[in-house]
Amino acid sequence: MGRGGFFERYLRVDLGRRTAEHVPLDEATRRAVVGGVGLGALLLTRETKPRFDPLGPEAALVLAFGPLVGTPLTTSAKLAFVAKSPLTGRISDGLSSSSFAIAGKRAGVDAIVIVGEAAEPSIVLIDEEGAEVVPCPDLWGRDFQISEASERLGKEYPEHRFAVIGVAGERLVRYAGIANEGRHAGRGGLGAVLGAKRVKAIGVRGSRAVPLADAEATLRIAKDLARRSLGPATEKYRSLGTVANLSTFNRLAALPTRNFQASTFEEARRIEGEVLHETRERGRGSCKNCTIGCEHFYEVRPGQRPVKMEYENLFALGPLCGIGDPEVVLRASSACDELGIDTISSGGTIAFAMECAERGLFPAGPLAEEARDLRFGACERMLALLGDIARRRTALGDLLAEGSRRAAEMLGGDAPSFAPHVKGMEIPGYEPRALQTMALGFAVGTRGADHNRSGAYEADFSGKVNRFEASEESAAHAVAAEDRAAVMDALILCKFLRRAMENFFGEAAEMLRAVTGLPFEAEELERAGGRITLVRRLFNEREGWTPAEDTLPARFFEEKLPGGAAKGAGIDREGFARSIKAYHARRGLDEQGYVPADIAQEMASLLGGRKR
Amino acid sequence: MVTIELYGVARLRAGRAAIEVAACSLGEALAALGVACPALEPLIVAGGRLAPGWLVALNGAQITADPEMALGEGDVVVLVSADAGG
């Protein structure tokens, strides 16, 4: 074992063969991709063959920890779930924070790779010795809520921490998530990857202390970071949480409404964060090992358990579906969490279906019959549909369980032009026409439309660019934002710290030196951010990505925003194409956007020598 | 008169959603805002300037932090946190 931060190995669990082996991780690999999403992307590439089925036994699910997990650094209790997405066919990762991350790392590994398929529905129990595959007939196919399944597992295996899928994961809903202790790796359908392997849950336990190369320096940095994490840079998250975005975005006409037909919502006032805070807030919480405490819980009805709410849930299950009833939005968000489906993709897919219903695009028969009362603002219908999707119950629920892109392709006609996705991933709550550097970030994202792997909206909200126009300058911002996010997600630390860190790469290098004892420098980490993005792009290329995927749905080019502060805004197709070209050039890609052969060759040894 | 709309933390701290001030520039408007709502000083506005992490959108559109930006009768200054993530 090295001096700190890493255990220098990962655990490879083969469900079909019921074997587990520790595989060494060398220093070059650790320095090249650091950990978290970087390590996850690398191991996913190494552990799979080209063009594999994400729901087949040959698929791999990687759980990657970062070098800072298990240290005293605030917000470091995180892990990355990484796999090929059954929703997009491209790489996807979901970050999650809980004591699961710490327990997993303390099993003495930097990552866990799960391949194969269990012979019967099972759970996987992992500890310092290895892994055990245990059948779980009492948990599978019972339609438990995630909280109930987690509680049962906790009682039976009190020493383990669990990551669990819901009924949606069992039914292979393409945007099913993986839950652990109330947190969710939601995007991209990684819960379906686990469900396809017939694994209901992964339990981890461990007692190995994470080694610190320089404990004194680590503690000093941790204290300083914790102090700053309680300052003005994070006040928004503490006092209101991410739901504070809703009123601002509505005022700036950047709030996606009615399946991106508008960017202001006339009922926004009922559900804005400031009002929820005054009328319904009933408590706050935080992830394990976090000093910020951004979680806010709101009352649904008196006497009922309060529900956690984030901006993305609020926008997707509210304005995007034309719904302004706070109780309904809270119930819908809670339902998604308990069923195990991604809130953004759920809201996006249902909003798409609502527009299809209003336009009469469902073919005559069961689908049209089921969609007869589906309209924007149809509260109870939306709530019922969430259950139908998660259980693939009814023809419409089964169709929408495929996500908006596949559903649109099945419907045909005009439907694909307004399915709200990039690379199959439903678009988060940032209206592309009102935030055009973010629009570029969405278009080129390796995970698809993605506000977490690209923070390009920061440029739109900086005053440094014209938010109504994507430009070559936008490309520089998009690359920089992507690189910062990649390193943040490789460490892994919470992005809500970003404004508390004035010199991100420098401070990150200092943390890594203290924890690992390796001579990380700021410039090296900046290069690592770009390298991680290239690893993801190479994976996508290997799996069939083409340059045509780096774009947005036709709606954003063809329809202007109808009202509010962004009235008349649209995306110029030629100008946007130029900004994508500029992004590709700045990223070091070739004219078409592919990773050049010489760079791919350089990275071949890192990726296990497999050819594209 | 110029209207300043407050969102998020600024609204919570000020205890109001909007305020009208007499101002010919953003700097003047922010100075007047600080006087009218002392709870915003110095973490959101400070001496006629915006604190780090805060911006305005003039009439909801053009985003800036430039205190020299000229304002006219009826303009609406939307005060927002630059930290839009989540």
Side-chain angles (χ1 to χ4, degrees), chain B residues 38 67 75:
Chain B
D75 273 342

Short mmCIF file of all heavy atoms in Angstrom, two decimals, chain B residues 38 67 75:
data_model
loop_
_atom_site.label_atom_id
_atom_site.label_comp_id
_atom_site.label_asym_id
_atom_site.label_seq_id
_atom_site.Cartn_x
_atom_site.Cartn_y
_atom_site.Cartn_z
N PRO B 38 -29.92 47.51 5.20
CA PRO B 38 -28.59 47.30 5.78
C PRO B 38 -28.20 45.82 5.90
O PRO B 38 -27.01 45.51 5.93
CB PRO B 38 -28.70 47.95 7.16
CG PRO B 38 -29.89 48.83 7.10
CD PRO B 38 -30.80 48.28 6.08
N PRO B 67 -20.57 48.92 -12.03
CA PRO B 67 -21.26 50.00 -11.31
C PRO B 67 -21.46 51.24 -12.17
O PRO B 67 -22.29 52.09 -11.85
CB PRO B 67 -20.34 50.29 -10.12
CG PRO B 67 -19.01 49.76 -10.51
CD PRO B 67 -19.24 48.64 -11.44
N ASP B 75 -36.20 51.55 -15.40
CA ASP B 75 -35.38 50.32 -15.51
C ASP B 75 -35.60 49.42 -14.30
O ASP B 75 -35.87 49.89 -13.19
CB ASP B 75 -33.89 50.68 -15.60
CG ASP B 75 -33.46 50.95 -17.04
OD1 ASP B 75 -34.19 50.54 -17.96
OD2 ASP B 75 -32.41 51.57 -17.23
#
